[in-house]
Amino acid sequence: MTAPSLRGVYVLIVEDNFVVADALRFMLTGFDAIVSAIVPSLAHASAALAVDRVDVAILDINLNGTSVVPLAEDLRARGIPFVFVSGYGDEDLLPEHLRDRPRFDKPVEAERLVARLIEIALRP
Amino acid sequence: MPQPGTRLDTTRGGAPESPSESGDRLLLERARLCLRLIAAGVAAVFVGWIATHPGEQPLISLVQGANFLAVLTALRFMRNATDPMRSHIVGFAAYAFTIVATGAVGILADDATTPLLIMVGMSVVSGTMLGWSPWWQLASVVIIIATAIWTVASVVTSPPHFWLQNVGSVAPTLIATVFMAHMLRRQREAIERAERDRLVREEGLREANRRLEKEIHEHQRTEGRLRFAMRELDHRVKNTLATVQAVADQTLNSSTDMGEFADAFTGRLQAMARIHGALAQRRWEGLTLTDLVELVVGPYRHHAESVLIACDGTFVGSELVRVLGMALHELATNAAKYGALSTAGGHVSITSRVDDGSAPCLHIAWDEHGGPAVCAPTRRGFGMHLIEEALVYEADGRVTLRFPGQGLHCEIEIPVPPPS
């Protein structure tokens, strides 16, 4: 059995806490992913989407008090898959039609997250 | 109504009597005594009259006797004022019987005016029971007095055996009528009083209900706030745990052995804990820059001059405190390991100013002097990475690191958000 790999997958990380975002980047890089960017806000995310390739996105639901939902809608419209990461209670910020998207509680378990990213990003 | 479990006296309900109730009782006693005296006198005269005139008008005597008995019985039953319904029924029965009896006496004695007048009087008096206006009550009193005067007049002008019959017929009826009217008025007043009391009680209950609803509302609001605070706390804990895990991961990634990891990780965790504690004490509103620098860098002070803090009272919000605190902690540990704070003679000065230009900006300068000669590091560990990147990432700041010979110089610029 081969080790799980995200080889060739471009990941955008939207997370307001630098240390958390940086650790996530390090972890994903360890699984061969290419991290397009780590961004702390909706504006930075839009700028990154405009110039970088993004195959899958990891979205912190609550960005320092701002909901990530507008970005999620944008990604949905572009057909880019994404998963949510949340602290307790953040899922209330999500509208009904986004609640069936994959969601991971903080602190995130790396193996589960990677397995899910492989599943949705490398789906034939 | 007798209450269960309450010991009753023989009068009413055990409650203290009001003045109007004791007035009623006195009137009742007097009316009853009066009626008894008249009844006894008239009965004695009847017996004598029937004995001396046996075949003259025996039927009238019989009807009068029955009338007496009816009124006496009615009064007997009406004594129980706690049962207004029974008093009403008995009173009406007595009225009906008296009216019929008086009418019969009038017809038998060839005198239609006396019973007619009595009947009018009684029907008017009975009207008081229906809650008619006070004018009707006044009219009934006037008619009763007129009846009494007419009776006295007829007694004076009539033959002896006839006025005896009239007195026998009229007197008990009059007394019963007045008594009945009085009782009914009292009952109506009692009903009205009870209605007023009920309204007052209802208003009291409504008021209590309003107060209760208000309290419940307050309680729900408090509970809501508490639930919100608990969620907020849980949220914070989850985020803190995520940060701790990230710090542990990154510290591990940049450590060469477990000893180095343990030192670095413990230092970072303790800095986070101190910052958390200070923020919690100030209800998560924030800290002044001076307090924050003292909190994070203060523990590395060898002696009074080794750490010089010249920051103003600029207030730093809790989110910025977290990341700025971590950056300052990395600067301090770096100084303690390799820089000015690693020797007894070295010192660090931290100064700050706020530029009030078109884009207000907080400047913090970190200057090390007197330590070992420094040069730019060849390997950038997690600490240096955090100093250079975290404030740029989270606060749109700018961080400049220089390594002149006398010691590290770090310049931090953070845009001050316009007051919201």
Side-chain angles (χ1 to χ4, degrees):
Chain A
M1 188 182 159
T2 55
S5 168
L6 283 162
R7 185 174 302 282
V9 177
Y10 286 75
V11 186
L12 174 69
I13 299 170
V14 185
E15 160 66 57
D16 58 358
N17 186 317
F18 170 73
V19 179
V20 174
D22 196 46
L24 208 51
R25 170 166 63 185
F26 191 88
M27 185 273 286
L28 289 173
T29 311
F31 284 95
D32 304 326
I34 302 152
V35 175
S36 313
I38 59 170
V39 289
S41 68
L42 297 182
H44 285 93
S46 296
L49 276 172
V51 294
D52 298 322
R53 174 179 159 187
V54 175
D55 296 329
V56 64
I58 299 171
L59 311 179
D60 180 10
I61 293 178
N62 186 339
L63 296 172
N64 207 354
T66 308
S67 164
V68 83
V69 166
L71 176 63
E73 301 282 14
D74 186 19
L75 290 171
R76 204 164 72 103
R78 291 167 187 247
I80 298 173
F82 54 85
V83 298
F84 289 116
V85 167
S86 67
Y88 172 85
D90 287 338
E91 52 274 15
D92 292 359
L93 293 171
L94 295 180
E96 205 62 51
H97 66 276
L98 289 177
R99 292 198 182 175
D100 57 345
R101 295 285 176 149
R103 203 167 63 220
F104 294 88
D105 272 343
K106 286 184 179 180
V108 175
E109 287 174 50
E111 289 75 15
R112 278 188 56 226
L113 175 65
V114 168
R116 201 62 195 265
L117 288 179
I118 290 170
E119 189 185 315
I120 62 173
L122 298 177
R123 195 164 29 198
Chain B
M1 284 287 284
Q3 296 296 313
T6 311
R7 197 184 145 79
L8 299 179
D9 62 24
T10 49
T11 55
R12 291 184 59 187
E17 285 186 2
S18 71
S20 74
E21 277 170 344
S22 61
D24 278 354
R25 194 166 306 282
L26 196 64
L27 186 89
L28 186 78
E29 291 304 325
R30 280 178 186 167
R32 197 173 289 133
L33 182 66
C34 199
L35 197 68
R36 274 182 190 151
L37 284 173
I38 292 169
V42 173
V45 175
F46 272 172
V47 172
W49 183 73
I50 289 166
T52 49
H53 301 83
E56 202 173 320
Q57 293 274 9
L59 199 55
I60 294 180
S61 310
L62 213 61
V63 172
Q64 296 283 32
N67 191 6
F68 265 135
L69 277 176
V71 172
L72 287 173
T73 313
L75 283 176
R76 188 119 207 115
F77 278 118
M78 280 158 59
R79 201 190 298 178
N80 182 8
T82 55
D83 189 354
M85 203 39 163
R86 201 166 76 164
S87 294
H88 277 124
I89 293 167
V90 172
F92 271 120
Y95 266 136
F97 190 86
T98 308
I99 287 165
V100 171
T102 314
V105 169
I107 290 159
L108 288 171
D110 266 346
D111 174 25
T113 40
T114 311
L116 191 67
L117 203 59
I118 290 166
M119 279 192 272
V120 171
M122 286 196 303
S123 58
V124 170
V125 170
S126 62
T128 59
M129 180 167 30
L130 301 173
W132 289 0
S133 76
W135 294 107
W136 277 107
Q137 293 180 18
L138 184 66
S140 68
V141 170
V142 168
I143 288 172
I144 286 163
I145 291 167
T147 312
I149 292 169
W150 194 88
T151 306
V152 170
S154 68
V155 162
V156 170
T157 54
S158 296
H161 70 273
F162 187 69
W163 74 256
L164 279 175
Q165 286 178 20
N166 268 328
V167 169
S169 153
V170 172
T173 308
L174 264 184
I175 291 167
T177 302
V178 171
F179 176 70
M180 181 78 176
H182 183 76
M183 286 282 284
L184 289 170
R185 207 187 74 226
R186 283 288 177 223
Q187 273 176 8
R188 208 181 64 201
E189 280 174 6
I191 288 167
E192 282 172 1
R193 205 166 45 237
E195 177 68 14
R196 271 199 306 277
D197 287 353
R198 192 179 63 80
L199 285 175
V200 168
R201 264 202 312 276
E202 252 179 30
E203 183 48 43
L205 278 175
R206 263 198 293 275
E207 176 61 32
N209 202 31
R210 274 195 292 273
R211 269 207 308 274
L212 202 64
E213 274 174 8
K214 218 176 111 183
E215 270 174 32
I216 288 171
H217 184 68
E218 278 292 309
H219 191 71
Q220 281 170 342
R221 274 182 43 177
T222 311
E223 204 181 277
R225 275 201 296 269
L226 206 62
R227 204 174 295 135
F228 178 80
M230 279 174 67
R231 265 181 55 159
E232 190 62 22
L233 183 70
D234 204 352
H235 183 93
R236 248 186 246 287
V237 167
K238 285 270 170 67
N239 277 318
T240 306
L241 286 175
T243 311
V244 169
Q245 191 190 21
V247 168
D249 287 350
Q250 296 292 69
T251 307
L252 192 61
N253 293 333
S254 68
S255 297
T256 48
D257 60 69
M258 284 315 278
E260 191 187 339
F261 167 77
D263 286 348
F265 182 64
T266 306
R268 283 168 186 147
L269 204 59
Q270 281 172 352
M272 282 171 69
R274 277 202 302 277
I275 293 167
H276 176 96
L279 281 176
Q281 252 182 14
R282 289 162 182 81
R283 300 196 301 175
W284 295 95
E285 281 158 6
L287 298 175
T288 64
L289 187 55
T290 308
D291 284 351
L292 175 61
V293 174
E294 182 59 46
L295 186 74
V296 177
V297 190
Y300 293 90
R301 187 182 274 127
H302 302 307
H303 53 87
E305 270 81 47
S306 63
V307 175
L308 300 167
I309 301 169
C311 297
D312 53 12
T314 309
F315 193 76
V316 184
S318 60
E319 282 304 311
L320 186 54
V321 160
R322 198 174 43 72
V323 59
L324 182 58
M326 287 307 285
L328 288 170
H329 167 76
E330 295 305 329
L331 283 167
T333 47
N334 185 68
K337 266 163 85 177
Y338 314 110
L341 296 179
S342 66
T343 57
H347 68 264
V348 176
S349 78
I350 303 120
T351 53
S352 82
R353 66 189 157 84
V354 175
D355 263 359
D356 288 326
S358 54
C361 201
L362 172 65
H363 289 264
I364 303 168
W366 173 285
D367 278 299
E368 298 183 22
H369 296 278
V374 297
C375 55
T378 48
R379 188 179 72 97
R380 299 236 156 167
F382 174 58
M384 209 47 84
H385 182 57
L386 204 141
I387 294 167
E388 287 181 308
E389 300 290 334
L391 283 164
V392 180
Y393 187 83
E394 288 194 35
D396 267 335
R398 241 178 47 200
V399 179
T400 317
L401 278 173
R402 281 202 301 271
F403 302 89
Q406 76 270 19
L408 183 144
H409 173 82
C410 180
E411 187 89 36
I412 296 170
E413 286 173 60
I414 300 164
V416 177
S420 52

